[in-house]
Amino acid sequence: SQTIHQWPATLVQPVGSPLSLECTVEGTSNPNLYWYRQAAGRGLQLLFYSVGIGQISSEVPQNLSASRPQDRQFILSSKKLLLSDSGFYLCAWSVFGYNEQFFGPGTRLTVL
Amino acid sequence: KQEVTQIPAALSVPEGENLVLNCSFTDSAIYNLQWFRQDPGKGLTSLLLIQSSQREQTSGRLNASLDKSSGRSTLYIAASQPGDSATYLCSGAGSYQLTFGKGTKLSVIP
């Protein structure tokens, strides 16, 4: 069966510090991968999606970036965090060409 | 641009009641509609997926319907239990992305 992992589970970072969140999927190959952010009082917002290694599409311009160095690994990064980057970050996957999405446990990021 | 609205934002019911959660979307050209459950501080658990060609899906005490022409979906929960307490999210799928509503927070009172 397929499993999706995210780490760390929680993170507290100062403004201006870098960020790296990791997501890995087990039990499937060539998945579509997604990063979402859920901010307090707002719905889930798609940040990035990837249909293959090195292929990243950005949905929202911001100081975040994403990379997919391996088939089942998706990384969300920032060089300098802002207060507004605080939120709950969720990684998801779907079978390539099919849109039922499955979510990971999330990372709670607090920027102080 | 797809917009998804969920009403009500919060709902409190006594245990054992049947209930309906509503979801509306503005663009009927969706690939599918997916219902999720989210417990506090946790990720999303997929409950039901309705393909654009389908009218409804059932899983246990849950039944979801889809009416593309009116831009509406409902999630029916039969014989509610305290363990059903959570936030329920619906999402409309475009080619790659899901557009989410803000959710309905359900509390089932023992």
Side-chain angles (χ1 to χ4, degrees), chain A residues 38 46 59 98-99 101, chain B residues 34 38 42 51 94 96-97:
Chain A
Q38 188 176 36
L46 178 65
E59 292 297 310
Y98 187 64
N99 215 349
Q101 295 190 14
Chain B
Q34 196 167 355
Q38 186 175 29
K42 305 293 185 183
Q51 298 290 355
Y96 285 107
Q97 64 176 292

Side-chain angles (χ1 to χ4, degrees), chain A residues 84-104:
Chain A
S84 58
D85 292 323
S86 293
F88 193 47
Y89 288 81
L90 290 157
C91 181
W93 73 274
S94 65
V95 172
F96 181 76
Y98 187 64
N99 215 349
E100 182 175 13
Q101 295 190 14
F102 302 93
F103 284 75

